[in-house]
Amino acid sequence: MNKDKRQQIFQRLKNNNPNPTTELEYSSPFELLIAVILSAQATDVGVNKATKKLYPVANTPQAIFDLGLDKLKSYVKTIGLYNTKAANIIKTCQILIEQHQSQVPQNREDLEALPGVGRKTANVVLNTAFGQPTMAVDTHIFRVSNRTGIAKGKNVVEVEKRLLKFIAEEFMMDAHHWLILHGRYTCIARKPRCGSCIIEDLCEFKQKTSDD
């Protein structure tokens, strides 16, 4: 795919949704961090249901740490892998309290040192909470990037590096959200809804469908 096509794709995505954002509900960098940890292999809707009950009770590292593991589990037990996620969150809260004055770090190295935080989670937090031009490649972005031809790669790191290289600076801040939403609602996994896709004529996917 050439530079001009990519420019047109992101311009259309921007025109269609000028201010995209995550569908996770949060009101602080810490709340976002916890929501993203919980969201691995889970839906944003499911995470939001759990955090709506958790955050009014505990929404700081100290408050969640003070809840303790068993009480925290009772709030997140509707989410897949909740035992592991709850244990990671308690450990993360302890590290934030002891090493970061209960603040979420604004750099990748410190974020990735937190239990339950990998490269993708760190990128989401850096981009969404702190306005850094990062690219968190999840299954949706990996699929859309490869299927459309925007940035092909064999693994998520390859796709991430190519997206960072190919996407124009003016679109970089919001590109992550545009691609996720496009993959979630239009360029879906089983059968893309090409008939209602705003970038269908620019997309280089060969097996296009008429579905809308």
Side-chain angles (χ1 to χ4, degrees):
M1 180 174 285
N2 62 40
K3 183 179 178 181
D4 183 55
K5 263 194 190 177
R6 290 192 188 95
Q7 184 78 12
Q8 288 184 62
I9 284 172
F10 284 100
Q11 189 60 60
R12 283 190 200 175
L13 293 171
K14 180 177 182 177
N15 293 345
N16 186 59
N17 185 3
N19 299 296
T21 188
T22 178
E23 293 185 320
L24 291 169
E25 294 172 3
Y26 70 98
S27 59
S28 70
F30 176 71
E31 286 188 3
L32 177 65
L33 172 64
I34 299 307
V36 179
I37 292 172
L38 290 171
S39 74
Q41 297 176 19
T43 66
D44 288 359
V45 172
V47 172
N48 289 339
K49 280 183 182 175
T51 56
K52 269 181 186 172
K53 294 176 181 175
L54 171 64
Y55 289 159
V57 175
N59 69 342
T60 65
Q62 191 68 58
I64 289 182
F65 185 75
D66 289 345
L67 271 184
L69 184 57
D70 290 340
K71 195 74 186 287
L72 176 59
K73 282 183 184 179
S74 73
Y75 283 101
V76 301
K77 63 185 178 185
T78 55
I79 296 172
L81 308 175
Y82 75 92
N83 282 312
T84 301
K85 290 175 182 178
N88 283 336
I89 286 169
I90 291 292
K91 291 174 193 166
T92 282
C93 288
Q94 185 173 9
I95 292 170
L96 291 177
I97 293 163
E98 293 176 355
Q99 299 180 23
H100 301 287
Q101 295 78 50
S102 291
Q103 299 299 307
V104 176
Q106 297 189 36
N107 66 83
R108 181 189 305 283
E109 186 180 2
D110 286 340
L111 281 169
E112 290 188 18
L114 300 171
V117 178
R119 186 180 185 89
K120 185 188 79 172
T121 297
N123 278 333
V124 171
V125 172
L126 291 171
N127 177 264
T128 306
F130 300 122
Q132 295 184 28
T134 59
M135 177 57 65
V137 178
D138 68 350
T139 55
H140 295 301
I141 292 180
F142 184 77
R143 178 177 67 255
V144 171
S145 298
N146 274 290
R147 187 186 271 168
T148 61
I150 291 171
K152 292 188 175 183
K154 296 190 183 83
N155 56 58
V156 293
V157 176
E158 268 188 26
V159 170
E160 177 188 330
K161 287 179 177 176
R162 286 177 181 166
L163 286 169
L164 290 171
K165 178 182 176 183
F166 293 148
I167 295 173
E169 189 178 345
E170 64 184 298
F171 302 123
M172 199 60 235
M173 266 306 303
D174 293 320
H176 162 252
H177 292 118
W178 286 322
L179 292 174
I180 279 187
L181 294 170
H182 194 67
R184 190 172 285 168
Y185 297 111
T186 303
C187 198
I188 53 181
R190 287 189 180 178
K191 197 173 185 186
R193 301 171 58 210
C194 301
S196 61
C197 177
I198 61 170
I199 61 168
E200 183 190 5
D201 58 314
L202 300 168
C203 169
E204 296 182 354
F205 182 53
K206 292 195 167 44
Q207 291 87 41
K208 290 198 173 96
T209 72
S210 57
D211 289 36
D212 56 11

